[in-house]
Amino acid sequence: MVDMDPHQWKRVRELFEACLDEPESQQGAFLDAADAPVGVIEEAKSLLESSRQNLSAFEPPTPALESFPNLDPLDITRGTTIGHYTVEGRIGSGGMADVFVATQDQPSRKVAIKVMRGQLSERAVKRFQFESEVLGQLSHPSIAQVFDAGEAELAGRQVPFIAMEYVEGAEDVIHYARRSQLDLRGRLEVFLGLSDAIRYGHENGVLHRDIKPSNLLISKDGQPKVIDYGIARAENQLDSDRTMTGEIFGTIGYIAPERLRSSQRADTRSEVYSLGVVLFELVTGRPPMDTKGLSFVQAVDHMERQEPPRASSLAADVPEGIDWVCFKALANDRDRRYSSVAELIEDIRRYLSGETVLAGAPSTSYRMRSWLRRHRALASLVLLGLVGTIATIVGTNIGLQRAETKAELARTQTLLAEKATKRAERETARAESEAELAKTQTQLAEEATLLAERETIRAESEAKRAETEATEAKRQASVSATVLNILEETLKKANATHGGVDARVSEVLEAIDARVDKALANEPEIANRMDSLLATAYLGSRDIPSARRILERASERPETGTRFDTELKVADAYIDQLTGRLPEAEEKMRGLVELTANADTKATRTIHLDATRGLIAILLSMGKAKDALAVVQAVNPEIRSGAGQHARTAFLRIGCDVYRMNGQMDKAMESVQQSMELARTPPEDSYELITGLRSAGALELQRGRTKSAGTFLEEAASKSTEFLGVDHPETALTGVVLSEVYVRLAQYDRAIEEYDRIEALPAFGKLTLRNRIMQADTRAYVLANMHKNEEALAAAEKAVGLLNASIAEGDPVRLSCQAMRARLLIQLDRVEEGLSLLEELNQLATRLHGPHSRTAVSMQQELTQGYKTLGNFEKVIKITTQQIADLSDRMEPDQTHLWNARQLRIEALVELGRWDEAQTAIDELRTLVDLEKSPGRKLRIDKLEAITAAKQLPQSTPTPGASAGTNEDED
Amino acid sequence: MDPISVTQLLQRIDDGEEAAREQLAGEVYGELHRMACRYLSQERVDHTLQPTALVSELYLGLFRENTPLKLKDRNHLLTTAARAMRRLLIDHARSKNSAKRGGGADRVDLDHIMDFYEERGVEMLELDEALTRLSAMDPNLAQVVELRFFAGRTNAQTAEIMGLSERSIERAWSTARAWLRNQLSADSGESPGGSQFS
């Protein structure tokens, strides 16, 4: 649309605004009759038409402050009256309010009165009053009551205030405990008193929202009092007048990380966190996170990265039970905290009465955690499975079902309440858009919102309670569950052998393994499930014999018709792959992919995707990159997106390898990046992240982006060491790939050092044969570059020695290490031997991959160089002539391979005195290759021609080996 | 940004120093951005932050010390803040469009603030483009939009800031909305009765 010039627009605007003064029904006619150019009238009419549509989109957000607040400090001194209260003195001042102690006549009492600075909009006042009304209904001995809230006239203007119960001689809980020198029990009891008030609030649908010591008081007669209940929220209705600097730094340590991080809604769990901080401070004397001196952003970052320290590490007298309670309350992930304050209280009571806390029964959880930390990827597989299995066993327990029904009911209520909230919010939004006309409506809708929100909190609280009951039922049922016994026994055994914290994965697995078969003789489904987990875990640590044994015993059980049967079969095919029986593995895996192709549940889709990934891995290790690509492309996208997160992550990662091997580098990068993104999504899938980083690194290496590869691989190496341990096959493999970076950077010493380190690890022996061969091959390459030819030959021979039937005849790895050996033989003056090997390889490569293939071409180059060294120019001519014939139909004449072949051929012809042929070849080369564009080549041709001419002279003696220069390196 | 330096900047603007005007704009923009991030990350209200509240907050942050401030300077500051708010939102919308991936916490936080407008179906970049054309035609009208829409000033406040009558602001605001409505529905190819703004 073309805009008008300002002058014309001015006329349109004047006309349009003039018509606004007319009654609405006559505005159109007014415009029609106006004395103005047609264009102007038309434009004004179009404005009129638009102005009659709904313009609410452009309404500014309703400002809460109708006018600029006057921020003069309030002139309040002893004797000033605020509403029914007479001020006696100032208690304190905050960024947005001043607090005074005041007296009231009817009833006669002392109150604390909080007076807001700044004025409120009418709407904010209403909302504020509604809020305080609800707060006023809370009645608990440990909650300082809100008596009254409203506005009072002060020096000619309205100031909002809240009158609350005055807590005489109040002291915050931390100072109180310190000054009274309370022992641990005393501190815990005080804490319980305060927590109970919070619990009471939750059960009545009110969150405190600002739990911190200065709001948790103890009166002079020892009564706990929670103040400012829910006022944080009411205060926020006041909109602007609140300090944003300073204050936050005082309380940031008490706010749950998720609220800082992502403005998550406050809920009972965020309050559990805040209480956890207070508890920690009470028992250790200092808060868990020292955020002093940090900027806001640094502080948030710090909280996010750091798990809180163990309370016992700061104060030696903190008992283990309380240590665990703090740990659980302060979990960074709110799902891992106590789900309600009631649970937190319950656990502390449990400690006080001498029972074991649920947060972490020291005999299992503590050991478990350290074990978990060491072997997270593997352990999570096993443990998730165990937990799931326990749930299956007890799933039939009637009490549980009842409890769950209740939980479900409560959840439904929560949902309904949430829906009501949403509806009410929508209502509010709608009403707001007609604000001027419908203030009352807005208010009603807002009240509905608040009520509905409260209902949500209440229902959530109820749901939590019901869930707690369900959990309790589960716990009781699980005591009898066989699996838990297995777990306990296992861990006890592990503890006994290794002082608890350092049990090796294999030992724990074996211990579980030993018990499963007997204990679950009558539960084939669960036994199969356990066994499929065990088999996978054994495979993960490359313990093939154990995995095989597990599968054998599982195969003796009847089929259960569940997905675990299929999972066992996947493990079986995987064993074939790992033991080099690739065709068998391929066939089995293909069968499983087909079998699960109609997957319609998440679990079966996951199996399908896993099997597909298995098939791809097998195809890749057979060198069938194209087939693998076809499999990737054939995956049903619906099944793919419906599979579990781990399966999707792993699939995307292997997709990277497939694309990479098919030369589709960008797609490969895209795939692996998606995979890593998924893997990083909490809960982090460390195992996949490590392999993803490694794939990305390998990809970047292949693309020649060494620096970027280094970044990926270094992260992979450090993560792998952290999560899997230094002596894990994955860690070793990552090390191998990382050393490739050093090779690229020509840091050969460093690479060799790394190889020595990795090869000395027991885990190295568990790498696939292919990986070990490639490792030896690369070592040979590095050593050759360091001019340590003898050592290099030894390495190359080691690589060749490892070859067996599982590495196919034409496999690039096979060819590569043999060619390396041949090359080194030639270097070490075993020329004949080397050349005959190369001949063999050349034939093989030509037969299997075609004469144009990279491998064939490079073999031929090696050969010609070798024969040239030997002075066998006939051979050189033979090979190069063949090469030229083979390559000419595929390559541009100026490609390096072809150029080198032609040049070599000419040199050989000259050496043999076949001048005419040499001259013809030179002429041919001049016409074929645009030498003007390549001065270096032109120079060489000129030189060749000169030599040819010189040698033709009868008196000249041919100088052996005189050539026009070395060949060009391959591109 | 502290009150004293702002007062000095305003003084320099009064003295006719053009560079000070730009410097003030830069400072105000930076402060709004910082405030948005800070405010949002510690936000205790479970509602979307009103962008306009930021402008008030900025104003209050500067003058809570009760610095005496000339009416003219105060108005200038608010006009600058309104303009800065607009730019902040546009910059954010733009970076959001160009970088679909990545971005830090900063971005997420500002998304939050954008929600306010996006919920209403206002496409920021389109609006900005239309406003730029409007100011070429009628700078005063564009300023009304900035103050009303981006700084959340009422008609009365806008009138005070711009030194016009409340009635004329009211009418100008009607014209501006009708014009924008016209432009944006034409640009988006929707019929005037389309759902975009309803």
Side-chain angles (χ1 to χ4, degrees):
Chain A
M1 166 175 292
V2 182
D3 292 319
M4 278 172 267
D5 69 73
H7 178 71
Q8 196 184 5
W9 164 254
K10 193 164 170 258
R11 295 195 61 178
V12 172
R13 184 177 160 188
E14 277 167 5
L15 182 59
F16 172 67
E17 290 182 7
C19 100
L20 289 178
D21 287 336
E22 299 297 315
E24 205 178 317
S25 58
Q26 285 160 40
Q27 288 172 342
F30 175 87
L31 289 180
D32 282 333
D35 174 23
V38 182
V40 171
I41 292 180
E42 283 305 307
E43 194 57 31
K45 282 175 80 173
S46 132
L47 286 179
L48 182 61
E49 194 186 319
S50 293
S51 73
R52 287 178 176 171
Q53 288 156 17
N54 183 355
L55 295 176
S56 61
F58 299 116
E59 277 307 326
T62 325
L65 292 162
E66 297 296 351
S67 60
F68 301 126
N70 185 334
L71 285 171
D72 290 345
L74 294 164
D75 187 20
I76 296 173
T77 48
R78 189 185 170 90
T80 308
T81 8
I82 300 169
H84 312 289
Y85 310 94
T86 312
V87 170
E88 289 199 341
R90 186 182 294 258
I91 303 177
S93 288
M96 52 176 300
D98 300 290
V99 188
F100 304 92
V101 58
T103 48
Q104 186 181 4
D105 286 343
Q106 280 292 329
S108 166
R109 60 184 170 192
K110 269 190 181 174
V111 301
I113 186 163
K114 193 166 196 171
V115 186
M116 309 296 152
R117 298 187 196 160
Q119 284 174 0
L120 298 176
S121 69
E122 194 186 328
R123 194 175 135 237
V125 169
K126 285 264 158 44
R127 190 166 176 150
F128 173 63
Q129 280 170 343
F130 178 82
E131 190 78 37
S132 24
E133 225 168 85
V134 180
L135 296 174
Q137 289 160 12
L138 290 182
S139 164
H140 186 281
S142 295
I143 294 179
Q145 252 189 295
V146 172
F147 297 133
D148 187 12
E151 280 183 299
E153 199 176 304
L154 194 70
R157 60 189 160 95
Q158 297 292 319
V159 290
F161 70 87
I162 308 172
M164 293 171 281
E165 182 180 341
Y166 175 63
V167 187
E168 194 107 43
E171 201 173 1
D172 83 56
V173 60
I174 304 288
H175 287 101
Y176 171 81
R178 198 172 292 154
R179 191 186 46 77
S180 325
Q181 297 185 317
L182 292 184
D183 62 4
L184 181 76
R185 177 167 287 265
R187 284 166 196 244
L188 292 176
E189 274 163 5
V190 165
F191 178 77
L192 285 177
L194 292 161
S195 299
D196 195 61
I198 305 291
R199 177 200 57 77
Y200 169 85
H202 290 178
E203 281 167 15
N204 285 280
V206 184
L207 297 171
H208 186 288
R209 291 168 197 275
D210 195 14
I211 297 175
K212 55 185 178 186
S214 61
N215 280 336
L216 303 175
L217 307 183
I218 309 293
S219 71
K220 71 175 176 200
D221 44 7
Q223 171 72 31
K225 285 281 180 191
V226 177
I227 63 162
D228 272 9
Y229 213 107
I231 287 181
R233 173 161 179 147
E235 283 177 348
N236 269 317
Q237 311 302 334
L238 305 186
D239 196 84
S240 302
D241 184 15
R242 122 188 142 90
T243 168
M244 293 197 314
T245 49
E247 197 177 51
I248 188 68
F249 297 103
T251 58
I252 182 171
Y254 299 92
I255 301 175
E258 70 272 11
R259 302 197 52 211
L260 293 170
R261 194 165 49 226
S262 53
S263 320
Q264 285 272 12
R265 246 175 48 133
D267 66 4
T268 53
R269 290 167 300 179
S270 59
E271 308 234 323
V272 165
Y273 183 91
S274 306
L275 282 173
V277 178
V278 175
L279 175 64
F280 190 101
E281 202 172 343
L282 257 180
V283 298
T284 66
R286 59 182 121 159
M289 297 281 185
D290 186 10
T291 47
K292 279 201 196 81
L294 297 180
S295 77
F296 181 80
V297 175
Q298 285 169 329
V300 173
D301 190 56
H302 181 70
M303 289 178 69
E304 216 171 304
R305 283 169 192 273
Q306 225 73 34
E307 284 277 348
R310 305 289 302 268
S312 55
S313 70
L314 295 180
D317 60 339
V318 176
E320 194 173 10
I322 292 306
D323 213 0
W324 280 112
V325 170
C326 291
F327 198 84
K328 183 160 168 115
L330 291 173
N332 251 340
D333 174 1
R334 63 179 180 185
D335 290 333
R336 285 183 15 234
R337 287 176 213 146
Y338 295 103
S339 65
S340 68
V341 175
E343 275 182 29
L344 168 67
I345 292 176
E346 200 43 50
D347 224 13
I348 296 177
R349 292 227 169 100
R350 215 170 271 132
Y351 167 78
L352 286 174
S353 62
E355 290 172 49
T356 311
V357 298
L358 290 182
S363 60
T364 50
S365 304
Y366 174 68
R367 313 290 190 213
M368 189 77 114
R369 256 192 78 84
S370 34
W371 183 72
L372 270 175
R373 254 203 303 274
R374 283 182 171 67
H375 311 291
R376 200 166 299 183
L378 189 53
S380 60
L381 259 178
V382 179
L383 292 177
L384 274 180
L386 283 173
V387 171
T389 311
I390 293 168
T392 314
I393 296 173
V394 301
T396 51
N397 179 295
I398 292 174
L400 169 65
Q401 275 175 350
R402 223 185 352 249
E404 270 179 347
T405 314
K406 218 167 150 196
E408 188 54 41
L409 197 69
R411 268 196 292 274
T412 315
Q413 278 174 357
T414 313
L415 217 65
L416 284 174
E418 266 168 0
K419 275 193 187 148
T421 313
K422 290 227 177 81
R423 204 162 42 234
E425 273 170 2
R426 269 204 300 278
E427 200 64 25
T428 312
R430 202 178 59 75
E432 271 174 358
S433 74
E434 294 159 60
E436 306 277 331
L437 294 171
K439 263 185 188 156
T440 335
Q441 218 176 323
T442 311
Q443 205 180 310
L444 281 172
E446 263 181 331
E447 285 176 12
T449 311
L450 291 169
L451 277 173
E453 273 176 26
R454 226 174 297 288
E455 200 50 47
T456 311
I457 297 172
R458 201 171 9 239
E460 274 172 358
S461 184
E462 216 165 291
K464 296 263 163 58
R465 216 177 21 235
E467 269 169 33
T468 314
E469 279 172 35
T471 318
E472 184 58 17
K474 268 186 200 172
R475 199 175 67 88
Q476 281 172 5
S478 64
V479 170
S480 62
T482 332
V483 181
L484 194 59
N485 286 337
I486 293 176
L487 187 59
E488 277 179 356
E489 279 175 43
T490 307
L491 289 165
K492 267 184 220 148
K493 182 177 175 255
N495 292 342
T497 343
H498 287 281
V501 288
D502 221 3
R504 294 178 56 88
V505 186
S506 55
E507 286 165 15
V508 177
L509 283 179
E510 275 158 26
I512 296 177
D513 174 354
R515 289 167 175 81
V516 165
D517 203 28
K518 269 187 212 149
L520 295 173
N522 298 321
E523 301 274 5
E525 184 180 335
I526 295 162
N528 271 1
R529 181 174 189 166
M530 295 287 294
D531 274 348
S532 87
L533 283 165
L534 279 169
T536 315
Y538 278 130
L539 288 175
S541 56
R542 301 284 186 274
D543 182 351
I544 311 278
S546 302
R548 194 172 270 153
R549 180 173 46 74
I550 296 287
L551 290 183
E552 269 163 26
R553 90 176 172 206
S555 70
E556 283 162 18
R557 287 186 209 115
E559 290 228 342
T560 56
T562 60
R563 65 189 164 93
F564 309 116
D565 299 345
T566 323
E567 276 176 4
L568 286 166
K569 286 181 192 151
V570 172
D572 178 46
Y574 194 33
I575 290 185
D576 279 340
Q577 184 201 346
L578 288 177
T579 51
R581 291 183 307 191
L582 297 176
E584 290 90 339
E586 183 189 346
E587 198 192 322
K588 282 184 190 169
M589 211 63 109
R590 257 190 214 285
L592 290 167
V593 170
E594 278 164 29
L595 185 72
T596 52
N598 294 320
D600 55 355
T601 63
K602 187 169 178 179
T604 49
R605 283 176 172 170
T606 303
I607 296 178
H608 177 74
L609 203 58
D610 279 341
T612 311
R613 174 167 53 95
L615 176 60
I616 293 168
I618 293 164
L619 291 170
L620 287 183
S621 53
M622 292 168 89
K624 297 179 174 178
K626 280 213 179 81
D627 292 2
L629 185 61
V631 176
V632 170
Q633 285 162 345
V635 172
N636 178 344
E638 231 170 79
I639 295 193
R640 182 174 161 175
S641 56
Q645 177 162 330
H646 174 81
R648 280 186 290 136
T649 313
F651 187 80
L652 282 166
R653 196 243 319 138
I654 205 163
C656 162
D657 294 339
V658 173
Y659 289 124
R660 174 164 65 91
M661 300 215 183
N662 282 283
Q664 304 184 15
M665 299 306 181
D666 291 339
K667 276 195 121 159
M669 188 40 89
E670 194 185 322
S671 194
V672 73
Q673 269 175 342
Q674 286 174 2
S675 167
M676 291 191 288
E677 207 169 288
L678 262 184
R680 286 189 207 272
T681 313
E684 187 181 278
D685 188 338
S686 308
Y687 188 87
E688 273 310 315
L689 184 54
I690 292 162
T691 36
L693 284 164
R694 198 172 55 219
S695 290
L699 177 63
E700 292 297 66
L701 271 176
Q702 193 167 339
R703 295 211 278 188
R705 300 180 181 169
T706 313
K707 203 176 152 204
S708 156
T711 314
F712 283 124
L713 292 168
E714 269 161 16
E715 190 185 347
S718 85
K719 275 218 171 285
S720 191
T721 311
E722 180 188 347
F723 288 108
L724 301 170
V726 78
D727 187 20
H728 188 281
E730 291 296 335
T731 313
L733 185 57
T734 307
V736 170
V737 188
L738 177 57
S739 21
E740 183 69 26
V741 173
Y742 304 143
V743 175
R744 293 285 175 90
L745 296 172
Q747 299 175 359
Y748 299 128
D749 291 331
R750 193 166 170 194
I752 293 290
E753 209 174 283
E754 186 67 6
Y755 289 155
D756 288 341
R757 185 185 69 75
I758 297 167
E759 285 174 26
L761 295 174
F764 183 75
K766 291 182 177 175
L767 292 188
T768 60
L769 184 62
R770 171 175 300 270
N771 285 326
R772 279 179 290 145
I773 296 171
M774 283 164 74
Q775 160 77 359
D777 188 29
T778 324
R779 181 192 271 271
Y781 170 82
V782 172
L783 288 166
N785 276 317
M786 296 167 85
H787 305 293
K788 297 182 175 173
N789 287 336
E790 314 253 339
E791 283 175 60
L793 182 62
E797 290 191 326
K798 186 176 166 201
V800 173
L802 285 169
L803 292 170
N804 67 19
S806 73
I807 308 289
E809 205 181 10
D811 193 305
V813 168
R814 177 178 284 268
L815 294 173
S816 158
C817 64
Q818 285 183 327
M820 175 59 77
R821 177 163 171 265
R823 213 170 295 146
L824 288 163
L825 287 171
I826 295 172
Q827 294 273 329
L828 290 165
D829 286 336
R830 291 157 68 180
V831 186
E832 305 275 351
E833 213 179 325
L835 284 175
S836 83
L837 182 53
L838 278 176
E839 285 283 6
E840 222 174 278
L841 293 172
N842 181 27
Q843 280 170 17
L844 195 64
T846 310
R847 178 161 57 83
L848 294 170
H849 304 291
H852 316 101
S853 66
R854 218 184 145 81
T855 33
V857 170
S858 75
M859 296 298 168
Q860 288 151 15
Q861 269 183 339
E862 299 281 346
L863 274 174
T864 44
Q865 287 295 344
Y867 284 123
K868 196 174 128 189
T869 321
L870 265 187
N872 188 341
F873 296 106
E874 309 276 352
K875 271 278 190 194
V876 176
I877 293 169
K878 191 175 165 216
I879 298 170
T880 49
T881 310
Q882 182 65 43
Q883 232 184 336
I884 292 163
D886 285 339
L887 298 183
S888 290
D889 59 331
R890 288 283 189 94
M891 288 182 185
E892 292 299 318
D894 58 353
Q895 278 205 356
T896 308
H897 288 319
L898 209 44
W899 162 269
N900 279 346
R902 286 179 189 278
Q903 192 193 322
L904 261 169
R905 181 165 171 271
I906 295 170
E907 283 170 20
L909 288 169
V910 170
E911 289 293 342
L912 293 177
R914 288 154 72 170
W915 317 114
D916 293 345
E917 285 169 80
Q919 192 56 53
T920 317
I922 289 174
D923 292 343
E924 199 184 2
L925 203 48
R926 277 194 195 283
T927 57
L928 275 175
V929 179
D930 186 356
L931 295 171
E932 295 310 313
K933 280 192 189 156
S934 165
R937 284 180 172 179
K938 182 164 190 297
L939 208 65
R940 263 178 238 161
I941 286 290
D942 291 344
K943 224 168 160 184
L944 263 178
E945 200 162 24
I947 290 167
T948 313
K951 285 191 178 177
Q952 282 185 60
L953 297 175
Q955 67 270 33
S956 74
T957 30
T959 13
S963 68
T966 47
N967 278 5
E968 289 177 10
D969 287 334
E970 207 179 295
D971 285 348
Chain B
M1 186 164 87
D2 62 293
I4 296 164
S5 72
V6 170
T7 315
Q8 283 169 350
L9 278 175
L10 287 166
Q11 183 56 48
R12 282 162 56 197
I13 294 170
D14 272 358
D15 298 345
E17 198 185 315
E18 271 313 300
R21 203 177 282 276
E22 266 172 44
Q23 203 182 329
L24 179 69
E27 295 258 323
V28 168
Y29 178 87
E31 184 66 11
L32 275 179
H33 188 268
R34 277 191 295 279
M35 278 171 44
C37 297
R38 205 164 55 201
Y39 195 108
L40 285 160
S41 25
Q42 55 135 327
E43 203 201 358
R44 293 191 293 193
V45 195
D46 300 330
H47 292 279
T48 312
L49 174 68
Q50 298 186 353
T52 53
L54 277 181
V55 176
S56 300
E57 187 94 30
L58 173 89
Y59 179 79
L60 293 171
L62 283 173
F63 300 106
R64 69 169 74 257
E65 305 303 324
N66 223 14
T67 330
L69 190 63
K70 278 180 283 181
L71 184 68
K72 190 176 134 209
D73 288 343
R74 194 185 79 178
N75 291 344
H76 183 77
L77 184 72
L78 281 164
T79 313
T80 312
R83 169 73 45 90
M85 193 68 226
R86 170 179 163 196
R87 230 184 79 206
L88 183 71
L89 289 165
I90 300 309
D91 286 352
H92 177 57
R94 229 171 246 147
S95 72
K96 206 170 145 186
N97 276 7
S98 65
K100 289 250 158 63
R101 294 154 72 95
D106 200 64
R107 250 212 49 210
V108 178
D109 285 344
L110 286 175
D111 273 353
H112 214 82
I113 210 176
M114 290 283 288
D115 286 350
F116 215 91
Y117 292 106
E118 283 178 353
E119 273 168 17
R120 299 149 174 256
V122 180
E123 218 292 291
M124 267 305 149
L125 297 178
E126 241 174 61
L127 175 66
D128 181 56
E129 193 264 338
L131 268 181
T132 307
R133 286 191 286 116
L134 182 60
S135 35
M137 233 161 52
D138 193 340
N140 269 340
L141 203 54
Q143 198 180 27
V144 170
V145 176
E146 282 177 349
L147 284 165
R148 291 285 278 118
F149 192 63
F150 289 107
R153 300 299 103 186
T154 59
N155 280 334
Q157 290 164 355
T158 308
E160 191 191 334
I161 293 165
M162 294 182 67
L164 294 165
S165 77
E166 193 174 340
R167 176 73 191 130
S168 61
I169 293 296
E170 202 177 296
R171 284 194 292 198
W173 180 226
S174 298
T175 313
R177 280 180 300 169
W179 188 82
L180 283 174
R181 170 83 203 213
N182 239 344
Q183 296 299 306
L184 297 190
S185 33
D187 289 353
S188 68
E190 280 191 29
S191 69
S195 62
Q196 197 182 359
F197 299 107
S198 48

